[in-house]
Amino acid sequence: AAAQGWAATDPDERARLLRALATLLRERMAELAELESAITGRPIREMRAQMARIPEWLDYFAGILLGLEGSSNQVKGGFLTWTRYRPYGVCALLTPWNHPVLILVKKLAAALAAGNTVVVKPSELAPVTPLLLSAWAAEVGFPAGVINIVTGGAVAGEALVAHPDVAHIDLTGGTATGRRVASAAAASKDAAASCRA
C-alpha cells in the first residue's frame, strides 16, 4: 500500500520532501560526520568532506524528478509511440559498512525520486546512521512505509532479497555476497538487480 501511495504522490511533493531532507542533513552534518567517523574508523576530516556531498544527491534527484514526464512521438507508418515512466515498487537497498550513509543516499535519492519505496538493509556492522537518516526523513514528512530499515546479518539480507514483494535489488558489497543475492533473487522472482562489488 505504501508503494502505491508513494508512486501516486505528486512529483512536486516528492521533490519537496527530498529537498527538505537535504536541508536537514546540511544542518546536522557535523553530527552525522562524527557518528560515521566513530562507526567506520575513518578520519573525521575525510568524513566531513564526504558528508558534504550527501545533500547534493538528494537535490540532484529532486531536480531530475520534476523533468520525468511521459512523451509521445510519431514514428514511421503513422504510428504514435507513448512513453510513461513507472516505478518498480519496492526496492531493496543493501549497503556496506565502510560508507553507510554516502552509498545509501546515492541509492535512496534515485529510488525515492522515481516513486519507489525502499527497504534498506545496512551492514550489521554499521546500522546506526542509516537508522538515523530514516528517522530524519520521517521528521521532514516522508510518509510511513516509504523508507524502511531492516537490521541484521546475512539471514536478514537473504530474507529481504527473496521476498516476493521486492521488485528491484541494489547491492553494494563483496563479490561473494553479490553472487548469493543474484542467486536468491533469480530463484524467487524476476527482480531487476544491480550489484557493485
Side-chain angles (χ1 to χ4, degrees):
Q4 292 172 341
W6 182 246
T9 300
D10 186 270
D12 288 341
E13 176 63 4
R14 292 200 316 259
R16 185 193 71 74
L17 288 168
L18 287 168
R19 287 191 173 118
L21 183 55
T23 298
L24 186 68
L25 284 170
R26 281 185 186 95
E27 293 169 4
R28 298 180 180 170
M29 196 56 62
E31 177 184 353
L32 191 60
E34 286 179 24
L35 276 171
E36 287 272 288
S37 179
I39 291 164
T40 66
R42 293 183 177 274
I44 188 68
R45 183 182 72 248
E46 177 185 336
M47 230 7 95
R48 286 181 185 135
Q50 289 179 356
M51 297 290 107
R53 304 302 312 261
I54 291 174
E56 294 174 9
W57 285 98
L58 295 160
D59 286 334
Y60 175 77
F61 282 103
I64 286 179
L65 157 62
L66 296 175
L68 285 180
E69 297 178 351
S71 62
S72 61
N73 187 27
Q74 188 168 355
V75 295
K76 284 184 179 181
F79 293 100
L80 185 67
T81 64
W82 180 53
T83 303
R84 182 178 87 175
Y85 297 101
R86 295 187 308 180
Y88 287 113
V90 178
C91 296
L93 309 180
L94 291 85
T95 60
W97 68 269
N98 57 342
H99 295 284
V101 171
L102 181 70
I103 291 174
L104 171 57
V105 171
K106 288 180 180 182
K107 301 169 184 290
L108 184 79
L112 295 177
N116 298 293
T117 57
V118 299
V119 179
V120 178
K121 201 305 245 169
S123 168
E124 64 275 19
L125 303 175
V128 174
T129 50
L131 286 163
L132 185 60
L133 179 71
S134 175
W136 289 351
E139 186 178 327
V140 299
F142 276 86
V146 172
I147 302 172
N148 307 279
I149 309 284
V150 174
T151 59
V155 172
E158 289 167 9
L160 176 59
V161 300
H163 197 283
D165 290 339
V166 171
H168 182 83
I169 301 163
D170 189 317
L171 161 74
T172 302
T175 303
T177 302
R179 286 188 182 118
R180 286 196 312 271
V181 166
S183 178
S188 65
K189 65 181 132 328
D190 295 329
S194 60
C195 299
R196 293 176 207 85

